[in-house]
Amino acid sequence: MRTEPDGTTLLGGSDDRYDPPECSLRETLHVREAAELARLVDRLAASADETLALDTEFLRERTFYPKLCLVQIATADVEAIIDPLACGDIASLLELIVDRFTLLLHAGSQDLEILLHSIGRLPRRVFDTQVAAAFVGYGDSLSHARMVERCLGRRVSRSEAYTDWARRPLSSEQLEYALDDVRHLHECHDHLQSELEARGRLTWVEEELVKLVARVEQLVQPNDRWRKVAGARSLKGGELAVLREITTWREREAMSRDTPRQRVVPDRVLVQIARRAPKSQEQLDQLRGLHPREAQRSGRRILEVVSTGLSTAENDYPRWLSPPSKRDEEGVYAIASLLDAYLRSRSQELQLSSRLLASRNDLVSLAGRTSRGEQTDASRSGDKPQLAILEGWRREVVGEDLLRLLEGKIALRLERADDGSAGLRLVASDS
C-alpha cells in the first residue's frame, strides 16, 4: 500500500501483497478517511461515466438492519473499496451514486435494501446481472463467480465468502475478493446486454428490474409480517388475529432495538401465543421457548397485544388466499398440471427456466379462478391481485396462450420434430 502526494491511498505493492489483475486499467483505491472520501465523491461527480458497478459487504446476524462494513465501486477508470467503519458517514457517496449513475449489481436486492435504509431512497436505474443472466439461458440464481466464467471465461476466487467483514485489518486476499465483486460487472453487463438485444429480450429484463426496485421499496409492512411466520399455516380464525397482532408488535420491537426478530420472540413461540392466547403473566411464563428475560421485559405488552387480537371482529380476521375447496381441488390441480405441461414445453423453446415464466402457485391460482368463472383479464378481480403471468412480457409470451387454452380455443398436441424429439404444441381446438 502506498500514499500519493495528495494523500490518496493506493492498493498494491509488496506491503499488502496485493496485485490488481493485469487486465485492469483502473486506478485502485482504498478509502479509509473522510478527506479521501470527499476526493472520491468529487472525482465521481466530475466523471463522464454513466454506469457504476456497486457491491456491499455487510453483517446482520446480530442486528435487524444490515451493518454496512464495506462498499465497493468501479467505473471505467477507478475501482475503490470504501470502509464506512473507518470513514464514518458515507451518505454523500451513496447519494451521489444513486442520483448520478445507472448502478450495475449482481443479486442486488440486499444492496438496494442497504441504500434505502442508509439514505432513504433508491436508484432510478439499475441493471442486475443475475436477473439478466437468467434471460439469456444461463440459469436461475446464477452466482457471481459462475456468471463471470460464463460471460468472460475468467475464474474468480470465492475463498473469502464467509469473511467477518467487520473485523480489521482486512487482508490483501479479502480486498482482492471484495474488488472482484465489481471489477468484472461492466464487461458482464456489456456481454449480457448484447445477448439480450440479439434475442429481443432487453425490454423483458427492464420490466423485471422495475419490479425488483419496487419490491425493495415496498418491503413487507409490520402488519403483514404474520404471513411469513413459520408454522402460521397451522392457525385459523381468531388465532390468526392474535398472530397478526403479536407479530406486528415483534416487528416494531425488533426495529426499535435493532435486533433480529427471532431474538425478540422466536416464530415457534409466536405460534404458541396465538394458539393458547395467554391471559396472565403466569400463563405466559409457562410457554416453552420464551426467554424469561423477555417475558419479564415485555410480558405486560404481550398480554395487551393478545387481548387486542382476541377482540378482533370475525369479519376482520386475517385470511390466507383461498385454496381450492375439497370438491374442486382435484379438478383445479389437474388443470394446473395441464398448464404446467405447456409451460415447460414453452420454456424449452425459449431456453428459459419455467420458474421464470410462472410459479406453480400462479398456475394453481389461474386454474382456480378459471374454474370459478372469475375474471382473468388485465384488470384486478375483486381483492385478488393480478397474476404475474398475466402481466407484461409474460402475458405476451405465454399468458395469452394459457388463457386461450383454458377457454378451449386451442388445444395441446404432441408433435415430433425432424430430429425425433417430441414436444407439446398448441393447435386450433378443432384441428
Side-chain angles (χ1 to χ4, degrees), residues 388-403:
I389 199 169
L390 299 182
E391 294 183 316
W393 68 269
R394 288 183 176 86
R395 185 179 185 111
E396 178 185 342
V397 172
V398 291
E400 288 290 347
D401 284 341
L402 292 179
L403 291 177

Side-chain angles (χ1 to χ4, degrees), residues 63-273:
T63 58
F64 183 88
Y65 297 106
K67 179 181 179 181
L68 186 58
C69 299
L70 279 185
V71 175
Q72 305 98 276
I73 65 167
T75 64
D77 64 347
V78 63
E79 57 188 27
I81 291 179
I82 300 95
D83 187 344
L85 302 185
C87 290
D89 186 6
I90 64 167
S92 60
L93 172 70
L94 300 181
E95 289 170 353
L96 174 69
I97 64 178
V98 161
D99 295 338
R100 169 74 175 74
F101 297 96
T102 296
L103 297 190
L104 307 184
L105 312 166
H106 184 82
S109 293
Q110 290 185 306
D111 300 312
L112 293 174
E113 184 182 341
I114 286 174
L115 290 174
L116 184 61
H117 174 61
S118 298
I119 61 174
R121 62 182 186 272
L122 292 171
R124 294 186 299 275
R125 304 176 304 277
V126 301
F127 187 96
D128 191 307
T129 51
Q130 186 182 72
V131 174
F135 280 84
V136 298
Y138 288 176
D140 294 337
S141 303
L142 192 70
S143 71
H144 175 268
R146 287 286 296 138
M147 180 200 64
V148 172
E149 190 172 355
R150 288 294 301 269
C151 292
L152 309 177
R154 300 175 194 155
R155 292 181 180 270
V156 294
S157 171
R158 308 312 294 164
S159 61
E160 303 295 333
Y162 298 102
T163 286
D164 179 354
W165 293 105
R167 187 172 292 180
R168 296 293 183 271
L170 295 172
S171 69
S172 58
E173 290 79 10
Q174 290 170 322
L175 297 173
E176 172 78 10
Y177 170 92
L179 280 174
D180 269 346
D181 282 340
V182 292
R183 61 164 45 120
H184 304 286
L185 285 186
H186 287 273
E187 290 178 90
C188 288
H189 163 264
D190 294 346
H191 172 88
L192 291 168
Q193 182 159 288
S194 177
E195 287 281 322
L196 290 167
E197 289 173 344
R199 296 170 187 242
R201 297 178 182 176
L202 184 57
T203 57
W204 298 5
V205 170
E206 290 171 347
E207 185 180 313
E208 292 301 293
L209 294 175
V210 169
K211 291 180 179 179
L212 171 66
V213 174
R215 282 196 298 272
V216 173
E217 207 161 24
Q218 299 166 0
L219 293 176
V220 177
Q221 296 302 308
N223 60 355
D224 277 335
R225 176 59 61 175
W226 65 271
R227 297 179 184 275
K228 295 185 174 294
V229 172
R233 287 280 181 178
S234 66
L235 304 174
K236 59 184 178 181
E239 296 172 338
L240 284 177
V242 175
L243 180 70
R244 179 176 60 188
E245 296 300 325
I246 193 67
T247 306
T248 300
W249 166 80
R250 184 189 67 173
E251 191 75 0
R252 290 173 175 158
E253 194 71 12
M255 289 178 179
S256 67
R257 298 185 202 176
D258 193 17
T259 194
R261 300 177 182 93
Q262 303 299 325
R263 289 197 177 191
V264 178
V265 180
D267 279 6
R268 66 183 185 278
V269 178
L270 292 183
V271 173
Q272 285 188 66
I273 292 173

Side-chain angles (χ1 to χ4, degrees), residues 19-48:
D19 297 309
E22 293 180 5
C23 62
S24 175
L25 300 177
R26 301 184 182 105
E27 184 178 16
T28 307
L29 306 177
H30 188 185
V31 178
R32 295 178 294 178
E33 296 179 0
E36 294 174 349
L37 179 67
R39 283 192 291 273
L40 177 61
V41 169
D42 289 343
R43 178 172 180 171
L44 293 174
S47 170

Side-chain angles (χ1 to χ4, degrees), residues 205-419:
V205 170
E206 290 171 347
E207 185 180 313
E208 292 301 293
L209 294 175
V210 169
K211 291 180 179 179
L212 171 66
V213 174
R215 282 196 298 272
V216 173
E217 207 161 24
Q218 299 166 0
L219 293 176
V220 177
Q221 296 302 308
N223 60 355
D224 277 335
R225 176 59 61 175
W226 65 271
R227 297 179 184 275
K228 295 185 174 294
V229 172
R233 287 280 181 178
S234 66
L235 304 174
K236 59 184 178 181
E239 296 172 338
L240 284 177
V242 175
L243 180 70
R244 179 176 60 188
E245 296 300 325
I246 193 67
T247 306
T248 300
W249 166 80
R250 184 189 67 173
E251 191 75 0
R252 290 173 175 158
E253 194 71 12
M255 289 178 179
S256 67
R257 298 185 202 176
D258 193 17
T259 194
R261 300 177 182 93
Q262 303 299 325
R263 289 197 177 191
V264 178
V265 180
D267 279 6
R268 66 183 185 278
V269 178
L270 292 183
V271 173
Q272 285 188 66
I273 292 173
R275 183 174 288 124
R276 299 185 183 185
K279 298 177 177 62
S280 68
Q281 185 69 43
E282 182 181 4
Q283 291 177 343
L284 192 63
D285 292 338
Q286 292 172 358
L287 291 177
R288 183 178 179 182
L290 180 63
H291 198 284
R293 283 200 300 271
E294 191 62 48
Q296 183 178 13
R297 172 177 181 169
S298 305
R300 179 180 298 178
R301 182 62 184 137
I302 291 174
L303 294 174
E304 291 173 354
V305 167
V306 169
S307 178
T308 300
L310 290 173
S311 65
T312 302
E314 186 173 347
N315 289 341
D316 294 328
Y317 286 169
R319 290 175 174 81
W320 303 104
L321 293 178
S322 300
S325 66
K326 290 294 183 182
R327 183 184 64 184
D328 296 335
E329 189 175 65
E330 185 174 340
V332 167
Y333 285 114
I335 295 171
S337 294
L338 176 67
L339 301 181
D340 187 52
Y342 169 66
L343 195 74
R344 290 179 182 276
S345 178
R346 184 73 172 121
S347 71
Q348 290 179 348
E349 294 176 13
L350 296 169
Q351 295 183 321
L352 286 177
S353 165
S354 61
R355 290 179 296 179
L356 196 61
L357 297 173
S359 68
R360 176 69 177 177
N361 286 340
D362 279 347
L363 298 181
V364 171
S365 295
L366 180 58
R369 293 184 191 186
T370 302
S371 71
R372 294 188 295 270
E374 297 175 6
Q375 291 181 352
T376 52
D377 60 14
S379 64
R380 292 176 179 265
S381 176
D383 61 352
K384 294 180 173 61
Q386 176 69 7
L387 298 173
I389 199 169
L390 299 182
E391 294 183 316
W393 68 269
R394 288 183 176 86
R395 185 179 185 111
E396 178 185 342
V397 172
V398 291
E400 288 290 347
D401 284 341
L402 292 179
L403 291 177
R404 292 166 63 210
L405 181 62
L406 289 168
E407 293 166 0
K409 296 178 179 179
I410 54 176
L412 284 176
R413 184 170 69 192
L414 185 66
E415 293 184 347
R416 291 195 176 275
D418 294 338
D419 62 2

